Amino acid sequence: MTNPQEKKKSTRNALIVRFGALAAVVLAVVLLIGFCTGPNTAERNNSDSPAASGEKVKTSHGSYLQSSIGSDDPAWDLPDAAVATEVLAQYTRDEVHDAYRFALTFTAQEGIDSALNGEGVSVADWWKGHSKFFHPDNRPEMLTSLEQGKAVVQREPWQEKDYEGYSYIYDGSPRVLERTITPDAVWLTGDGGIAFRMSVNYTMAVVPGIGEAGDGRQVTHGYMTYSVRETGPGDWAITSFMHDLRTFPG
């Protein structure tokens, strides 16, 4: 025969176990929500964001504010030591700086944060509005490179192909959270143009889940190189590219 006191004790212990299990479930849900949220909207709309004054870009995934480059960004500073003497033998310093401004602006906006990054638009649609950035002599090969999936601009096609549910955040806010671009080397190209190699480091907001960090911050660093040549006095266009980048999922 069961002792009434033991029965009460057993019932109390069962309630404690059930309550503990419920608390664990609630905690797990809270942690899961926090884990999947990533950087909040306020953080991504920070006035110091590289996309604070960027334009809204629409994609098949949603919209975002594209990164831009402010007038006070240190990236504008092109050190004399980075420019090869052979470049200055053919171009004036003002011409080199004009060419660099074009290459830098393209890198900040399209090289890093194009709608093609994340495969949000087709190559054909992107090309309609951006072919003007490429030298007429080199447009056919640039378009072919894009169609072949090459990273004329950063693409990250693995997000959609390899990891279901992992992507950039598209809610009208910036995708680029942090970014530094530093000119590294400038040299003369075989066709008489100028090549600009830039060290890039940037962090983008993603729906977290596959990265070791799992914090919703996808980090990329390495080098982006664009070669440019004049299409007319003071007008520059891209002739070739070469990138060496490493991306770490968030």
Side-chain angles (χ1 to χ4, degrees), residues 134-135 138 141-142 189 191 193 227-229 237-241:
F134 299 89
H135 199 285
N138 303 91
E141 64 189 84
M142 290 293 105
T189 62
D191 61 0
S227 298
V228 303
R229 190 156 49 88
I238 295 167
T239 58
S240 66
F241 67 96

Side-chain angles (χ1 to χ4, degrees), residues 30-47:
V30 170
L31 288 175
L32 181 62
I33 291 174
F35 178 77
C36 293
T37 300
N40 59 40
T41 304
E43 181 182 353
R44 286 182 282 120
N45 282 318
N46 189 298
S47 60

Side-chain angles (χ1 to χ4, degrees), residues 44-67:
R44 286 182 282 120
N45 282 318
N46 189 298
S47 60
D48 292 330
S49 163
S53 59
E55 295 184 0
K56 181 163 287 190
V57 175
K58 294 181 179 179
T59 77
S60 60
H61 304 309
S63 63
Y64 68 94
L65 284 181
Q66 188 179 47
S67 63

